């Protein structure tokens, strides 16, 4: 496999904070370098926000809750939100380019998934917010009860690095739809598209102070989550960070929405359509370098088809081209950062120590260029193996055989995670029976990552708190006042 480089046509950017409608630098003058994980080259500098910047951002957001934004008619707000989506599509190439440089993901994937779906988040909520209904009850001739929706207030949006713009906009669009103002912090390793997004929002007509962006490290996020004048936190990231945020938010009793880690099972029964299984399992294992919270990294295959599955799966995975994110043939790009690459490599080493059988991969590539890891398929590990139980978040999957539905269900649920699962069977009754018993927020049957933004998205157990999507997002980003009118 060769690593080739293509000239970039879009300049990279230095990332400043955006507070009260202005790009500003940190008072401390502190910055860090943004590194391209595919080349190890410096892409630019990023400001490190401290308590002072977070405080200014929260003050601007608080002020903006009133005034123009607070009294804007729903139709106008919806038009602005739609316009943000339109402008994202107009700048799709530029945004995809920056996302690919920041994350190491193939640029075709950034275009098709990250940026296109980011625009769709705004288009979806621009429409959805205009059709939201409130409860009302007539109590005989005694009273009428009805509810009034209000913004929650100032919301902190804290995001990870794997789908930077997509996940940020998945929170920002409904937050704006609900009439809130926000302080956003993207991951330190993927700051660029959020910085362009605020420019787009201004152009779309979002009033100053409604959207604020503070860059920085974990401490910057902590300053947001512990700020006494922030009303709610919507967070996507690691389960351990979720714990820290919950503690920080406790003294001021903030409303919380958490989308956390996962260790998602794919359960493949012998009657499944193996062509579909192979095609989709390749994606659910290795797309975005396995850096998707929904990736199915524990694969359970019924014993009758175990050998055939492995032969075909390994054969297909061997053909995935690893390398330059700007090569249209590339299927697996670079891991997002040196730190994360080292984490994934350490799990590969654990699997080796645990006696795993590597049917494919297990090696790093192009070390002099960037942070690349081969698609890796491991068998022979026990159900107690750390690689079977812990979230690796890389192009590494384990495959285990099973005999009965009962046996595999026990293994599937034997985890503190509960994000998603994929079930493969042509037996409709089994599909319904089995799916209902899986302890996960989302179960796909004979597919994976098929989304409809109206459906509840999120995890149970240690994979999250609450749901996003459709009415679930509107419920999180609004508060209800019930009014009782005595007749
Ligand atoms: P992290 O939890 O490390 O970071 C997420 C964000 O939180 C970053 O912006 C980070 O800042 C910030 N942060 C870190 N520490 C704190 C703190 N104490 N208080 C407030 N904010 C803090 O997650 P990753 O970026 O590593 O993302 C990968 C994880 O995200 C995986 O576990 C994955 O499963 C999960 N995820 C879940 C999804 C879901 O829908 N359930 C979807 C996508 C990912 P900084 O980067 O500066 O450290």
């Amino acid at each position: 496999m060769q690593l080739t480089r293509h000239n970039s046509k879009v300049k990279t950017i230095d990332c400043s904070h955006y507070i009260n409608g202005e790009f500003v630098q940190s008072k401390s003058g502190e910055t860090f370098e943004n590194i391209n994980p595919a080349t190890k080259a410096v892409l630019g500098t990023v400001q490190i926000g401290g308590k002072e910047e977070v405080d200014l951002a929260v003050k601007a957001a608080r002020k903006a809750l009133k005034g123009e934004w607070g009294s804007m008619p729903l139709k106008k707000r919806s038009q602005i939100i739609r316009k943000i989506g339109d402008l994202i599509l107009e700048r799709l190439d530029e945004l995809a380019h920056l996302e690919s440089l920041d994350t190491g993901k193939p640029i075709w994937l950034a275009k098709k998934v990250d940026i296109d779906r980011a625009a769709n988040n705004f288009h979806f909520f621009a429409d959805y917010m205009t059709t939201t209904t409130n409860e009302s009850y007539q109590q005989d001739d005694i009273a009428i009860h009805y509810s009034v929706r209000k913004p929650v207030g100032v919301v902190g949006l804290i995001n990870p690095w794997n789908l930077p713009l997509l996940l940020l906009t998945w929170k920002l669009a409904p937050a704006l739809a609900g009439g809130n103002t926000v302080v956003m912090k993207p991951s330190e390793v993927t700051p660029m598209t959020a910085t362009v997004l605020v420019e787009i929002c201004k152009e779309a007509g979002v009033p100053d102070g409604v959207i604020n962006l503070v860059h920085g490290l974990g401490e910057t996020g902590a300053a947001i989550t512990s700020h006494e004048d922030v009303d709610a936190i919507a967070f996507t990231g690691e389960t351990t960070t979720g714990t820290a945020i919950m503690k920080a938010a406790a003294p001021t009793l903030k409303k919380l929405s958490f989308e956390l880690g996962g260790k998602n099972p794919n359960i493949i029964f012998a009657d499944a359509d193996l062509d579909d299984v192979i095609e989709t399992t390749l994606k659910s294992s290795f797309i975005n370098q396995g850096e998707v919270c929904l990736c199915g990294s524990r694969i359970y295959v019924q014993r009758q088809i175990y050998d055939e599955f492995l032969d075909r799966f390994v054969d297909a995975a061997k053909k995935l081209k690893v390398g330059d994110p700007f090569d249209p043939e590339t299927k697996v790009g670079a891991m997002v950062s040196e730190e994360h690459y080292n984490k994934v490599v350490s799990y590969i080493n654990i699997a080796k120590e645990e006696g795993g059988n590597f049917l494919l991969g297990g090696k790093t590539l192009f070390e002099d260029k960037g942070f690349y890891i081969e698609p890796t398929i491991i068998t022979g590990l026990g159900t107690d193996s750390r690689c079977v139980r812990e979230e690796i978040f890389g192009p590494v999957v384990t495959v285990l055989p099973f005999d009965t539905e009962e046996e595999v269900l026990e293994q599937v649920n034997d985890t503190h995670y509960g994000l998603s699962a994929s079930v493969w069977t042509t037996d409709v009754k089994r599909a319904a029976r089995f799916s209902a018993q899986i302890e996960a927020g989302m179960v796909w049957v004979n597919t994976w990552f098929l989304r409809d933004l109206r459906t509840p998205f999120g995890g149970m157990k240690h994979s999250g708190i609450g749901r996003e999507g459709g009415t679930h997002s509107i419920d999180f980003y609004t508060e209800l006042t019930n009014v009782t009118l005595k007749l």
Side-chain angles (χ1 to χ4, degrees):
M1 280 176 269
Q2 290 296 311
L3 183 68
T4 47
R5 295 237 45 86
H6 295 254
N7 289 331
S8 64
K9 293 193 194 96
V10 181
K11 291 211 172 5
T12 64
I13 51 173
D14 290 329
C15 297
S16 302
H17 313 303
Y18 180 77
I19 300 173
N20 206 21
E22 307 262 334
F23 282 107
V24 293
Q25 307 208 330
S26 292
K27 291 267 174 357
S28 68
E30 281 186 311
T31 59
F32 63 91
E33 286 182 336
N34 184 20
I35 305 295
N36 178 349
T39 62
K40 302 185 189 173
V42 176
L43 293 166
T45 58
V46 186
Q47 298 289 315
I48 302 181
K51 280 202 163 101
E52 201 168 353
E53 282 72 33
V54 168
D55 205 38
L56 286 172
V58 173
K59 280 203 176 91
R62 177 63 56 196
K63 193 164 165 230
L65 265 180
K66 310 276 176 222
E68 192 186 351
W69 187 243
S71 57
M72 191 175 278
L74 187 66
K75 191 171 171 204
K76 179 152 185 223
R77 211 162 69 221
S78 166
Q79 281 166 346
I80 290 175
I81 293 171
R82 169 160 289 280
K83 179 84 179 162
I84 300 172
D86 295 346
L87 292 175
I88 288 175
L89 290 182
E90 275 179 28
R91 293 173 73 171
L92 187 136
D93 286 343
E94 173 197 1
L95 286 162
H97 194 103
L98 294 175
E99 203 74 298
S100 177
L101 289 174
D102 248 356
T103 57
K105 73 176 70 193
I107 188 160
W108 62 263
L109 184 66
K111 277 187 196 170
K112 193 172 150 201
V113 175
D114 296 72
I115 311 305
D116 190 65
R117 290 195 186 190
N120 192 38
N121 286 338
F122 288 102
H123 290 154
F124 172 79
F125 280 106
D127 290 340
Y128 198 85
M129 65 188 277
T130 60
T131 60
T132 304
T133 54
N134 294 339
E135 291 166 278
S136 107
Y137 304 97
Q138 169 133 18
Q139 188 182 6
D140 303 320
D141 57 356
I142 302 166
I144 297 171
H145 310 267
Y146 62 92
S147 54
V148 178
R149 268 182 206 277
K150 300 167 179 171
V152 178
V154 176
V155 186
L157 309 181
I158 301 182
N159 279 84
W161 43 253
N162 60 331
L163 300 157
L165 195 70
L166 174 57
L167 294 177
L168 178 61
T169 55
W170 179 232
K171 299 187 188 312
L172 178 61
L176 295 178
N180 301 280
T181 59
V182 303
V183 178
M184 317 189 289
K185 196 203 89 63
S187 164
E188 69 189 75
V189 287
T190 54
M192 290 200 288
T193 48
T195 312
V196 175
L197 178 68
V198 294
E199 198 177 66
I200 286 175
C201 290
K202 183 158 183 142
E203 191 184 337
V206 176
D208 292 349
V210 171
I211 296 175
N212 302 277
L213 169 73
V214 185
H215 289 289
L217 312 172
E219 297 81 59
T220 315
I224 297 172
T225 57
S226 58
H227 198 290
E228 61 180 12
D229 212 18
V230 170
D231 301 292
I233 299 288
F235 168 73
T236 298
E238 281 186 22
T239 297
T240 49
T241 313
T243 308
I245 291 179
M246 201 172 213
K247 278 188 197 152
T252 45
L253 288 172
K254 296 185 198 319
K255 195 174 182 184
L256 298 175
S257 162
F258 282 175
E259 301 292 352
L260 307 174
K263 185 72 184 175
N264 312 305
N266 285 5
I267 307 99
I268 302 164
F269 287 97
D271 63 357
D273 178 329
L274 213 47
D275 291 340
D276 281 357
V277 168
I278 300 296
E279 191 188 333
T280 307
T281 307
L282 270 189
K283 290 186 193 141
S284 68
S285 302
F286 303 121
I287 202 156
N288 208 47
Q289 303 70 245
E291 296 166 331
V292 179
C293 53
L294 306 166
C295 273
S297 53
R298 291 187 282 153
I299 303 175
Y300 299 94
V301 186
Q302 206 160 21
R303 203 172 303 274
Q304 295 95 303
I305 56 161
Y306 183 69
D307 290 338
E308 186 187 356
F309 168 82
L310 281 176
D311 285 349
R312 292 183 58 181
F313 184 49
V314 171
D315 221 38
K318 260 184 204 158
K319 297 185 184 120
L320 297 174
K321 184 173 179 191
V322 183
D324 181 0
F326 288 89
D327 180 339
E329 297 301 315
T330 291
K331 294 290 185 290
V332 179
M335 306 306 296
V336 76
S337 66
E338 183 169 17
E339 186 185 346
H340 187 59
Y341 165 88
N342 287 335
K343 177 183 159 186
V344 176
V345 169
S346 78
Y347 273 106
I348 288 173
N349 291 335
I350 289 169
K352 286 177 183 161
E353 283 160 23
E354 287 177 334
N357 183 18
F358 284 69
L359 300 188
L360 186 71
K363 290 193 286 296
T364 56
L365 295 168
F366 319 125
E367 289 84 355
D368 53 329
K369 298 273 198 304
F371 307 115
Y372 298 86
I373 296 178
E374 279 185 329
T376 299
I377 301 172
I378 311 171
T379 60
L381 291 173
T383 50
D384 286 341
S385 151
R386 284 187 61 195
C387 292
V388 174
R389 303 191 71 80
E390 296 175 18
E391 184 184 45
I392 300 175
F393 219 57
V396 180
V397 295
T398 59
V399 190
L400 286 103
F402 71 90
D403 291 301
T404 66
E405 207 175 301
E406 295 71 30
E407 170 203 354
V408 74
L409 183 65
E410 199 175 311
Q411 291 181 35
V412 160
N413 287 339
D414 180 22
T415 168
H416 62 262
Y417 289 117
L419 189 56
S420 72
S422 283
V423 178
W424 292 88
T425 177
T426 47
D427 178 339
V428 176
K429 283 190 179 167
R430 170 158 54 201
R433 180 177 64 233
F434 193 79
S435 304
Q437 295 178 83
I438 296 178
E439 294 165 1
M442 293 164 284
V443 179
W444 283 286
V445 178
N446 297 328
T447 186
W448 177 73
F449 211 168
L450 179 62
R451 297 273 292 118
D452 178 323
L453 302 191
R454 293 169 298 185
T455 60
F457 179 94
M460 54 175 73
K461 295 159 89 174
H462 289 196
S463 288
I465 295 180
R467 296 291 182 275
E468 297 180 308
T471 184
H472 305 277
S473 293
I474 300 294
D475 281 345
F476 179 74
Y477 291 103
T478 54
E479 288 286 8
L480 291 173
T481 297
N482 188 68
V483 179
T484 295
L485 250 179
K486 187 172 178 307
L487 296 176

